[in-house]
Amino acid sequence: MPDLNIIIAGLLDAVTLTNLLYIFAGVAVGQIVGAIPGLTILMALAIAIPLTYSLDTLTAVAFLISVNKGGTVGGAIPSILLNTPGTPESAATALDGYPMAKKGKPMKAMKYALYYSVFGDLSSDIVLITVAAPLALIALQLGPVEILALMILAFTVISGLVGDSMVKGLIAAALGFLVASVGIDPTQGTPRFTFGMLDLYDGLPLSALTIGLLAVGEIFAQIAGATKDASTGTPIQINSDNPEDNTVTLKEFLANKGVAIRAFVLGTVIGAIPGLGSATAGFLSYSVTKQAAKDPEAFGTGDPRGIAAAETANSAVVGANLIPLLTLGIPGNISAALLVSAFIIHGIQPGPLLFEQQGRLVYGLFGAMLIANFANLFVGQFGMRLWAFAVGAPNSIIFPSALLLCMTGSYITSGGFFGVFVMLIAAVVGYLMRAFGYSIVAFVIGYVLTPQLERSLSHALLITDGEIMAFLHHPIAIALVILSMVSVFYLGPKKRKPASTK
Amino acid sequence: MNIERILGGGAAIFGAFLLLYLIPNFVTDSDGMMSPTLFPSIAAWMFILFGSIQAITSSEPLKLPSAREFIRSGMIALIVLAAILAMEWLGFLIVATAFMAILTMFMYERRPIWLVATIIVMPICVWLVFELLLRRPLPPMLF
């Protein structure tokens, strides 16, 4: 564990003027993007990565995390104003936020969402900061065989939890394996699937690939689905004549503290498990709160407990999902996978060694996360009225602009048109995967984890001298492999209903 | 036969093609503890195994986007391809402006103020951000 000087130096690194500016800018961008229905936080992250290319590592990662945090707040705005979640994470917020807005209190509903979101996010960040370093120490005790088994477990759990079926999730993960193996083999140094093209020797550019899969594929679907009457933008009236309906007092906030604390615990636990996401946390917390209430019939009519349950839980996922990333190097969800790509662009490999080798950077990141929560509160407090206009912005300006940014970003990160071609191919693949129900999350996680998996397997084979039976001397690895098999049997046959559990 | 079964069958056939043709011909094998063909082969076997399971067990029909959406998506992909090819010769600003004009028309936008904002203002803003603020050169005009 890093000593106190490194921790303090790291935390202070986050408080430079440049970092503060980028944190506030990131939060504002995230809130605007979250507020626009159809644009997702993932799109924002994928587009934002190229913008960080020339930045210092801490500034770049702080900016991206701020975009992510801002997105969870912004996503609640269209949920409340239009009953259309700006991001999937905010779907549960609409259940009580929209009825409250219909009662003439849209500003109050948005402020409830903002305050509980910041509470959930801040609390989960504190958990992350507290547990990450000790967990990384434990992770360092694991050998290559155990790491290999852990990654197999992560693959089966993620493939089982995302998308419509585990079988399709595993096919998507296989595609991720295959695409990740393009380029020079990391253990032998021989070319694989390069077809004589020099550009392919370094593998496919991660940033262009994720921009194509996550952002452009979705933009294609949105532009293709456009109709003549769908692109009108009308400003929405959000202020009420009664001043009490425009604010949330401390007493009103604290009235739901029990709900918020339970939601924070649920969100943090769900965030720490790879494969589950904010939407699951929001819905689960909402239904648990409703079941525990003495008056469940009040839910769905504009009850602040519903907003508290959904927003606290979905925001608590944001900090907690960095636990598996920073301690084990395993991205728990797609946002974390995108952060991995940002780390890699800046020459850093996430994992337990990060605390030992880049302790100052990690604590700088933690400092930036804490600041981003307060920035979220500040920007949200003043920006809510403004973002409400963004909700009504026409799709005909949003999606073409986003597509141009994606093309430009791919060009910049890959240093030429090769990346833009990769982006286009990835977009077509992503569009088809979405249309045919294959999980893009499983594909990207498969792609990001494969190089690490190959190295772990290579190290495991080296220390066991290629003897399969030597794996029997690693009880933790055996337990993890058994858990993987259990997860296949438990999660495999289940068909999930996307709206309620994904 | 439903589309799910066809997709599963397609994945399994692709896995076999990978294993029998692509890996032997496009992965350079070498001696060592772990062959470079190992991971592509794992991927191939996963395609074969899970593709077959999908082909055999899937029974529920898949809800697909409409033919109109598929056609429009294909057209957008072609517009992007054309824009990339044109950008190599004509540079960022000219092509980005034309590209935005085509896309906004494609989305049925006819209001002059939004058209100006998207077609003129947006490409200039992107150019200013990348070229001047971030100092990352965008494609120049070749002639």
Side-chain angles (χ1 to χ4, degrees):
Chain A
M1 197 161 155
D3 66 33
L4 196 60
N5 288 336
I6 291 179
I7 293 173
I8 293 170
L11 290 171
L12 288 175
D13 282 347
V15 202
T16 64
L17 185 63
T18 311
N19 287 343
L20 289 175
L21 280 173
Y22 273 96
I23 288 169
F24 273 85
V27 162
V29 168
Q31 288 192 6
I32 296 170
V33 170
I36 298 170
L39 289 185
T40 62
I41 304 170
L42 296 176
M43 269 190 210
L45 279 174
I47 296 169
I49 288 173
L51 296 174
T52 67
Y53 201 62
S54 56
L55 298 178
D56 165 66
T57 308
L58 178 58
T59 312
V61 181
F63 176 71
L64 294 173
I65 284 183
S66 304
V67 171
N68 199 7
K69 283 178 181 291
T72 56
V73 167
I77 298 170
S79 288
I80 290 165
L81 297 180
L82 302 175
N83 201 19
T84 307
T87 57
E89 291 79 9
S90 308
T93 310
L95 297 174
D96 270 292
Y98 183 62
M100 189 183 274
K102 276 180 76 179
K103 284 179 181 173
K105 304 174 186 175
M107 198 64 193
K108 195 177 192 81
M110 287 197 290
K111 287 203 168 163
Y112 266 124
L114 172 67
Y115 298 153
Y116 287 116
S117 181
V118 171
F119 166 74
D121 206 346
L122 180 64
S123 312
S124 119
D125 285 353
I126 292 168
V127 172
L128 166 73
I129 294 166
T130 318
V131 306
L135 278 179
L137 273 181
I138 297 170
L140 278 175
Q141 307 303 314
L142 302 175
V145 180
E146 285 78 16
I147 295 282
L148 177 68
L150 194 66
M151 293 182 89
I152 292 169
L153 175 64
F155 269 122
T156 54
V157 171
I158 290 169
S159 304
L161 287 173
V162 298
D164 296 335
S165 83
M166 183 177 236
V167 168
K168 289 169 96 173
L170 287 166
I171 291 173
L175 192 59
F177 284 163
L178 183 66
V179 174
S181 62
V182 172
I184 298 287
D185 166 55
T187 55
Q188 306 285 330
T190 55
R192 294 188 297 201
F193 303 119
T194 51
F195 306 102
M197 292 169 68
L198 280 178
D199 283 323
L200 287 176
Y201 274 66
D202 287 334
L204 294 169
L206 180 59
S207 192
L209 192 81
T210 49
I211 289 174
L213 280 169
L214 297 169
V216 183
E218 180 62 30
I219 292 169
F220 278 10
Q222 296 282 353
I223 296 178
T227 53
K228 280 178 188 170
D229 49 329
S231 61
T232 51
T234 46
I236 293 163
Q237 178 66 34
I238 56 162
N239 281 324
S240 162
D241 294 335
N242 182 1
E244 281 184 14
D245 291 342
N246 292 328
T247 55
V248 174
T249 62
L250 185 64
K251 193 178 166 192
E252 285 173 319
F253 176 77
L254 291 176
N256 305 309
K257 58 181 180 295
V259 171
I261 290 169
R262 182 174 46 210
F264 142 67
V265 173
L266 268 172
T268 304
V269 171
I270 287 173
I273 300 171
L276 293 171
S278 303
T280 310
F283 277 108
L284 188 64
S285 170
Y286 185 87
S287 68
V288 167
T289 306
K290 189 177 173 181
Q291 279 166 16
K294 287 177 187 159
D295 53 344
E297 67 282 354
F299 283 76
T301 61
D303 194 311
R305 287 172 296 175
I307 302 176
E311 276 301 307
T312 309
N314 73 27
S315 300
V317 170
V318 177
N321 70 27
L322 292 185
I323 294 173
L325 177 68
L326 294 178
T327 56
L328 300 165
I330 295 173
N333 63 14
I334 199 99
S335 311
L338 284 174
L339 287 175
V340 171
S341 70
F343 274 114
I344 291 170
I345 284 173
H346 290 276
I348 293 162
Q349 183 64 47
L353 284 172
L354 199 59
F355 281 86
E356 236 176 51
Q357 294 167 350
Q358 304 269 356
R360 190 165 165 168
L361 174 71
V362 174
Y363 281 92
L365 174 64
F366 289 161
M369 289 174 77
L370 293 174
I371 295 167
N373 290 313
F374 294 103
N376 228 345
L377 185 63
F378 184 80
V379 174
Q381 188 74 18
F382 293 100
M384 281 290 184
R385 287 177 182 82
L386 215 59
W387 308 158
F389 285 100
V391 173
N395 291 345
S396 51
I397 186 169
I398 299 292
F399 292 112
S401 305
L403 187 50
L404 184 66
L405 278 171
C406 289
M407 288 171 66
T408 317
S410 302
Y411 177 85
I412 294 292
T413 48
S414 59
F417 283 100
F418 175 67
V420 195
F421 283 113
V422 170
M423 179 212 78
L424 178 59
I425 294 166
V428 173
V429 171
Y431 176 82
L432 292 174
M433 284 179 76
R434 265 188 201 87
F436 294 132
Y438 289 93
S439 165
I440 291 176
V441 179
F443 174 90
V444 174
I445 304 259
Y447 179 80
V448 170
L449 281 185
T450 297
Q452 202 182 333
L453 191 62
E454 277 201 274
R455 278 193 297 273
S456 298
L457 182 59
S458 166
H459 292 160
L461 286 171
L462 271 175
I463 64 161
T464 57
D465 207 19
E467 283 289 326
I468 297 291
M469 296 310 280
F471 282 81
L472 295 175
H473 300 301
H474 297 267
I476 296 174
I478 293 171
L480 291 169
V481 170
I482 291 170
L483 264 178
S484 308
M485 290 172 179
V486 170
S487 73
V488 170
F489 284 107
Y490 181 69
L491 300 168
K494 287 191 175 177
K495 274 273 176 188
R496 285 167 290 282
K497 289 172 186 165
S500 60
T501 57
K502 235 177 89 175
Chain B
M1 185 181 269
N2 72 33
I3 191 87
E4 285 273 16
R5 289 177 188 269
I6 295 170
L7 286 169
I13 291 167
F14 176 67
F17 177 66
L18 198 57
L19 205 61
L20 299 173
Y21 178 74
L22 288 177
I23 294 173
N25 288 294
F26 296 102
V27 177
T28 311
D29 208 350
S30 69
D31 293 331
M33 191 78 80
M34 203 171 96
S35 163
T37 61
L38 180 66
F39 264 73
S41 302
I42 291 173
W45 281 110
M46 283 174 77
F47 279 121
I48 294 170
L49 176 67
F50 298 115
S52 304
I53 292 173
Q54 191 187 336
I56 294 163
T57 60
S58 292
S59 53
E60 287 180 30
L62 192 67
K63 192 171 175 278
L64 291 173
S66 65
R68 172 187 175 272
E69 279 182 46
F70 268 121
I71 292 166
R72 279 173 63 91
S73 299
M75 286 166 74
I76 299 160
L78 289 176
I79 293 167
V80 174
L81 179 64
I84 299 169
L85 295 172
M87 219 177 258
E88 288 192 67
W89 294 96
L90 299 173
F92 176 81
L93 267 179
I94 294 172
V95 176
T97 308
F99 178 65
M100 296 300 271
I102 294 168
L103 284 184
T104 42
M105 293 294 172
F106 204 74
M107 291 194 79
Y108 308 106
E109 183 58 68
R110 300 291 182 269
R111 290 167 292 182
I113 201 154
W114 290 120
L115 286 174
V116 171
T118 320
I119 297 168
I120 311 285
V121 180
M122 188 63 197
I124 292 175
C125 284
V126 172
W127 187 84
L128 288 173
V129 166
F130 282 96
E131 283 272 353
L132 298 185
L133 199 68
L134 298 174
R135 300 195 179 280
R136 316 296 301 184
L138 293 173
M141 201 159 69
L142 282 188
F143 58 89

